[in-house]
Amino acid sequence: MNRLENNHQVPLPALERLASYMRCLMQLEQEGVRTVSSLEMEALTGISAAQFRKDLSHFGEFGKRGIGYDVGKLQDQIAELLRIQKEQPVLLVGAGNLGRALIAFPGWRAYGFRIVAVFDKDPRKIGTQICRIRVRPFEELATTNRQLGARIGIITVPPGEAQPVADCLVAAGVVGIINFAPVKLRLPRSVTVREVCFISELAVLSYLIHTREGPLPPADVSGDGHGVEACEGTTAG
Amino acid sequence: MNRLENNHQVPLPALERLASYMRCLMQLEQEGVRTVSSLEMEALTGISAAQFRKDLSHFGEFGKRGIGYDVGKLQDQIAELLRIQKEQPVLLVGAGNLGRALIAFPGWRAYGFRIVAVFDKDPRKIGTQICRIRVRPFEELATTNRQLGARIGIITVPPGEAQPVADCLVAAGVVGIINFAPVKLRLPRSVTVREVCFISELAVLSYLIHTREGPLPPADVSGDGHGVEACEGTTAG
DNA sequence: TCCTGTGAAGCTTTTCACAGCA
DNA sequence: TGCTGTGAAAAGCTTCACAGGA
């Protein structure tokens, strides 16, 4: 079937899980595993076999009945679904600790992304190199991207500067933004934004651990219950 | 009413939104705003007024009919709901770029968290200071936490080490973990884990920007449509 | 037999619309 | 009048259960 052009909206949670499957498949491939069933995936990812099959079914048919899925092939196919099969240039603004951490992340390649330019407005950072990428002055963003043509931007600047930075990115042709600054960006509807806010994660975690069952016992260091799935939130990866 | 002890499960998405409301309220308070209505919150957060009211209604009644909500008071109340009203100690393992970025984050206090100890196994990092916190040898984790009694841990180590690190944290009494390493942790059910995986965010973003409406136009640098809400995912903050 | 793909059922979350209070 | 709180309706997502191909 392979209706890569899906008309019916694919649920956002399904998309997030696809990325998890990718990661899992990469690992399996490294381990030399050739074939995997939805039930094995369930054991590895904690996402139910039915869910796995349903998620894929939004896009087409990828498995072989009685057998399962070809690890390498499925990886390629999911990459194609997520449109990460060919390299995409990415701009990063903000060469602070977080920016540097992201640049140093070794997994970009495997997911088809490449940070092609880094910008900052701090003169002490401009001109320095981070993982072989030179930090450019923020003012050059628009000019630089006229050559690079990146459509994705990452914002790792302090909250106060995030909005103007976002505006610049959009003016430079960026249509998708990952925002690590803890502020809500106001941008044209044509721009897709995803906010990443780890302090919210902590707040939710705080709620969850304190409401599991009344006040917590002194110290649950039993270590039993091993090999069981951990409780998991929306941001499963 | 104020049934702070909610029996009926609160939807996870609602909890995530509560954290967003917090952030928004903090900002409003700084700006000197005293009262806010659900409709004004909608304009600020992009989350619908009905959703805002419903989210709060899981916990009780917080507003005044005809008026709205008291900014300062609601902030305190949400903090109480999320159990972040009093300071909670947090352990961090992995003093790499990402770990340092997190330690340097200025918002911890406002959300009631405090990083009380940082661990790493790299001898070159041990003993160094990051934002006035000394990096301790990883082996000391259990002993150290016997005094500190932290119940929350953050993992910012390379993927290969995440599982053993998580096991150590749990053995040291941690019951809630934020995992930044791109691997699925297998832990006892009694432990709550939240995975943060920004590369997945990018993958989802890639899908979203490429499926908005066929192939992208050359460069949508119009800049109109201003002041409109940007598309938003689950991880709204 | 084994495992996929999928309609239908079941459950969760969001939105609607309005009663009720200031 | 203005805005909250909330049942009820609608939408969205997940699970079930089984038909059907390898």
Side-chain angles (χ1 to χ4, degrees):
Chain A
M1 190 187 246
N2 245 23
R3 64 180 108 80
L4 271 187
E5 296 310 322
N6 65 307
N7 314 324
H8 68 306
Q9 201 90 306
V10 177
L12 201 60
L15 293 172
E16 288 166 355
R17 287 189 298 265
L18 281 182
S20 304
Y21 303 150
M22 268 293 273
R23 208 168 68 187
C24 182
L25 291 167
M26 286 176 188
Q27 179 130 22
L28 284 173
E29 192 168 50
Q30 277 202 330
E31 290 168 8
V33 179
R34 302 301 272 276
T35 296
V36 72
S37 73
S38 60
L39 230 86
E40 290 165 333
M41 286 297 283
E42 169 170 331
L44 291 166
T45 62
I47 299 164
S48 81
Q51 185 78 81
F52 175 79
R53 297 200 300 272
K54 178 66 95 184
D55 287 345
L56 290 176
S57 81
H58 288 114
F59 297 95
E61 306 193 354
F62 303 94
K64 277 198 179 50
R65 291 164 194 231
I67 310 279
Y69 303 80
D70 181 294
V71 170
K73 206 159 130 193
L74 184 56
Q75 212 178 307
D76 293 348
Q77 285 166 317
I78 293 181
E80 205 174 332
L81 303 179
L82 292 173
R83 323 291 154 119
I84 55 178
Q85 77 278 32
K86 53 178 181 181
E87 197 173 86
Q88 293 186 79
V90 175
L91 306 181
L92 187 145
V93 187
N97 280 304
L98 181 55
R100 286 203 300 276
L102 294 181
I103 296 164
F105 175 70
W108 294 108
R109 257 284 178 59
Y111 283 82
F113 298 104
R114 188 150 79 93
I115 298 192
V116 291
V118 176
F119 302 91
D120 203 298
K121 64 175 202 193
D122 181 346
R124 285 169 303 181
K125 284 175 186 152
I126 293 166
T128 61
Q129 297 240 340
I130 304 171
C131 300
R132 300 213 176 124
I133 304 175
R134 183 173 55 86
V135 178
R136 304 171 195 240
F138 178 62
E139 299 75 43
E140 288 178 14
L141 198 154
T143 355
T144 306
N145 204 40
R146 215 163 290 147
Q147 269 124 55
L148 298 173
R151 303 196 149 275
I152 296 177
I154 301 180
I155 297 179
T156 53
V157 300
E161 295 163 40
Q163 183 63 56
V165 163
D167 293 334
C168 281
L169 282 169
V170 172
V174 162
V175 295
I177 290 177
I178 306 276
N179 175 30
F180 283 87
V183 272
K184 166 87 186 163
L185 298 177
R186 331 207 106 252
L187 294 170
R189 260 232 222 57
S190 59
V191 179
T192 306
V193 179
R194 292 187 61 88
E195 320 255 354
V196 179
C197 182
F198 66 91
I199 197 83
S200 298
E201 294 294 319
L202 266 167
V204 173
L205 187 73
S206 175
Y207 175 86
L208 293 174
I209 67 176
H210 287 94
T211 49
R212 291 221 135 199
E213 60 227 279
L216 291 164
D220 176 8
V221 197
S222 62
D224 72 347
H226 232 66
V228 192
E229 289 314 312
C231 160
E232 182 143 81
T234 323
T235 336
Chain B
M1 191 187 244
N2 244 24
R3 64 179 109 80
L4 271 188
E5 296 309 323
N6 64 308
N7 314 323
H8 67 308
Q9 201 89 304
V10 177
L12 201 60
L15 293 172
E16 287 165 357
R17 287 188 299 266
L18 282 182
S20 304
Y21 303 148
M22 267 293 272
R23 207 167 70 187
C24 183
L25 291 167
M26 285 176 189
Q27 180 131 20
L28 285 173
E29 191 167 51
Q30 277 202 331
E31 291 167 7
V33 180
R34 302 301 273 276
T35 296
V36 72
S37 73
S38 59
L39 230 86
E40 290 166 332
M41 286 296 284
E42 170 170 330
L44 292 166
T45 62
I47 299 165
S48 82
Q51 185 77 83
F52 175 78
R53 297 200 300 273
K54 177 67 94 185
D55 286 345
L56 290 176
S57 80
H58 289 114
F59 297 95
E61 306 192 355
F62 303 95
K64 278 197 177 51
R65 289 162 195 234
I67 310 279
Y69 304 80
D70 180 292
V71 170
K73 207 158 128 193
L74 184 57
Q75 211 178 307
D76 292 348
Q77 286 166 318
I78 294 180
E80 205 174 332
L81 303 179
L82 292 173
R83 323 292 153 117
I84 55 179
Q85 76 277 33
K86 54 180 182 180
E87 198 173 85
Q88 294 185 79
V90 174
L91 306 181
L92 188 146
V93 187
N97 280 304
L98 181 54
R100 286 202 300 276
L102 294 181
I103 295 165
F105 175 71
W108 293 109
R109 256 285 177 59
Y111 282 83
F113 297 103
R114 189 152 79 93
I115 298 191
V116 291
V118 176
F119 302 90
D120 203 297
K121 65 175 203 191
D122 181 346
R124 286 168 305 181
K125 285 175 187 150
I126 293 167
T128 62
Q129 296 241 340
I130 305 171
C131 300
R132 300 212 176 127
I133 304 175
R134 181 173 56 85
V135 177
R136 305 171 194 239
F138 177 63
E139 300 75 44
E140 288 177 14
L141 198 155
T143 354
T144 305
N145 204 41
R146 216 163 290 150
Q147 268 124 58
L148 298 173
R151 304 197 147 276
I152 296 177
I154 301 180
I155 297 179
T156 53
V157 300
E161 294 163 40
Q163 183 62 56
V165 163
D167 293 334
C168 280
L169 282 169
V170 172
V174 163
V175 295
I177 290 176
I178 306 275
N179 177 30
F180 283 85
V183 271
K184 165 90 187 159
L185 298 177
R186 330 208 108 250
L187 294 170
R189 261 231 224 56
S190 59
V191 179
T192 305
V193 179
R194 293 186 62 87
E195 319 256 355
V196 179
C197 182
F198 66 91
I199 197 82
S200 299
E201 295 294 321
L202 267 167
V204 173
L205 188 72
S206 176
Y207 175 86
L208 293 174
I209 67 177
H210 287 93
T211 48
R212 290 221 134 199
E213 61 228 280
L216 291 164
D220 177 7
V221 197
S222 63
D224 73 347
H226 232 66
V228 193
E229 290 313 316
C231 160
E232 180 142 81
T234 322
T235 336

